[in-house]
Amino acid sequence: AAAEGPAGGGGVAAELASFFPPFLWLLRDFVVDMRDADGQPLAPDAYMERALEPRPSTARRAAERNETRAAIRDLFPSRSCVTLVRPAAEEADVRRAIGLEASQLRPQFVEGMSALKQRILGTAPPKALLGEPLDGSMLVALARQYTAAMNTEGVVPSIRGAWESVVEERCRAAADGALA
């Protein structure tokens, strides 16, 4: 099965976290002057960690937002933050930035995107599960099973169960192909 029991069972987040990739929070059009309480500059990672700290429960929807913050902290023990400036100075250009040539974008944005691309491509390992490499169709099958489990109230995905279903499906398809 692709899912097990109700969410919130002890250790579920820790179990799932070992399967999650590093979390990269990309803040585009970032204009905040990142400083700590003493006025010292904050690195993007430190800014993100402060943003993930729980807020007082008196704020509107604080419980829901604190739950989201806790989930990110628990499920993504490896996380980082990258900031990018606005891609263009003019609002009309920002709205159509995807269609602009690199020469029409702000140089700081182009440099930031280049560094981000190198970082992602240089550090992203091939996707594997339980030590086995995944091809595209296996990854799609896993994503479908996880999505179905997450869309069922009170159910969390079972990594091992989803993996076993995918392997069974692959074996069945191979046998059908061999017999055809």
Side-chain angles (χ1 to χ4, degrees), residues 18-19 126-134 138 159-160 163:
S18 68
F19 295 100
K127 184 63 183 153
L129 182 60
L130 301 173
E132 297 295 323
L134 300 175
M138 295 170 88
I159 304 293
R160 187 166 303 280
W163 173 246

Side-chain angles (χ1 to χ4, degrees), residues 137-160:
S137 64
M138 295 170 88
L139 192 56
V140 168
L142 283 169
R144 284 185 177 142
Q145 292 207 16
Y146 297 155
T147 302
M150 287 184 261
N151 286 328
T152 304
E153 191 171 332
V155 175
V156 295
S158 165
I159 304 293
R160 187 166 303 280

Side-chain angles (χ1 to χ4, degrees), residues 91-179:
E91 185 63 32
D93 289 338
V94 171
R95 290 189 180 141
R96 61 184 187 98
I98 196 148
L100 298 178
E101 298 292 324
S103 62
Q104 296 173 292
L105 299 170
R106 293 174 66 189
Q108 306 95 317
F109 180 80
V110 173
E111 291 165 12
M113 283 298 298
S114 178
L116 177 61
K117 180 180 174 183
Q118 288 177 339
R119 177 180 178 172
I120 291 170
L121 294 177
T123 60
K127 184 63 183 153
L129 182 60
L130 301 173
E132 297 295 323
L134 300 175
D135 64 21
S137 64
M138 295 170 88
L139 192 56
V140 168
L142 283 169
R144 284 185 177 142
Q145 292 207 16
Y146 297 155
T147 302
M150 287 184 261
N151 286 328
T152 304
E153 191 171 332
V155 175
V156 295
S158 165
I159 304 293
R160 187 166 303 280
W163 173 246
E164 289 169 357
S165 294
V166 168
V167 170
E168 285 175 20
E169 183 180 309
R170 289 296 288 260
C171 288
R172 192 171 23 261
D176 291 348
L179 298 174

Side-chain angles (χ1 to χ4, degrees), residues 25 27 34 42-50 80-83:
W25 187 19
L27 301 173
M34 296 189 297
L42 275 177
D45 287 351
Y47 176 83
M48 176 188 62
E49 292 304 325
R50 290 185 72 186
S80 59
C81 179
V82 172
T83 60

